[in-house]
Amino acid sequence: SCVSQDSSAQSSRHRRRQRAMKCVRSAIALAALVARAAARGQSEVTPVQKVIELMEGMLAKGKEEKHDEQVQFAAFKQFCDDTTVEKKRSIAEAEEKIEVLKADIESHAAHAARLTKEIAEHDADIATWKGDSKAATNVRAIDKANYDATHKDYSESIDALQRAIAVLKKQAHDRPQASFAQVSALKS
């Protein structure tokens, strides 16, 4: 937009110069007419002096307008240059930030992929441990049932032995023992 405004400012200057040139030509023509009239001696202030005054005023006004236009154009050009530099710097910073953010995204995506893999491995470990725990619980239940059955059997056997011992102790009196020869004779 600075370029288009620059060209419009130049065309505006060109039109002003053309108008100024027309004014100068008109002033010269007027000066020639005034000079003829002065040559005839019709006035105290010579027409040439009057034309010269008019031309000097126009020249001063033209120089002033030219200076004002140059100042305005310089300020506009400085604005365009400053804006261009600032925008280029902003674009460079944004591109650099984009690259950094792309690198961060790739890094975080890789990190997320690694963590997803680790989570899957941990889920598999947890499933294995739950299976092992369930199997161990089943084995313990079977072992407990076996222990309880064995304990009951042993307890009943011990109880029966204790009762037998108690009965035998009640019947504990002296009895003659048969000799080995007598036991052999009974068998025959």
Side-chain angles (χ1 to χ4, degrees), residues 140-155:
R140 282 192 296 274
I142 291 169
D143 287 346
K144 182 176 184 328
N146 289 340
Y147 169 78
D148 288 344
T150 304
H151 184 267
K152 182 179 177 186
D153 184 41
Y154 287 164
S155 294

Side-chain angles (χ1 to χ4, degrees), residues 31-102:
L33 287 175
V34 172
R36 282 185 198 162
R40 292 185 197 150
Q42 294 175 353
S43 108
E44 292 179 10
V45 174
T46 65
V48 174
Q49 289 174 341
K50 189 73 169 171
V51 169
I52 291 174
E53 285 178 18
L54 286 172
M55 289 179 71
E56 286 176 352
M58 286 174 52
L59 180 65
K61 185 177 178 185
K63 285 182 179 180
E64 182 182 332
E65 286 178 0
K66 179 182 176 184
H67 176 71
D68 291 345
E69 194 173 299
Q70 286 175 338
V71 168
Q72 185 180 9
F73 177 75
F76 180 71
K77 183 170 181 351
Q78 184 64 43
F79 167 76
C80 288
D81 292 344
D82 291 347
T83 302
T84 301
V85 167
E86 181 182 329
K87 295 301 177 189
K88 284 182 180 179
R89 182 185 51 78
S90 294
I91 289 170
E93 287 176 359
E95 287 175 348
E96 183 178 320
K97 189 172 184 178
I98 287 170
E99 292 302 318
V100 168
L101 292 174
K102 282 181 180 178

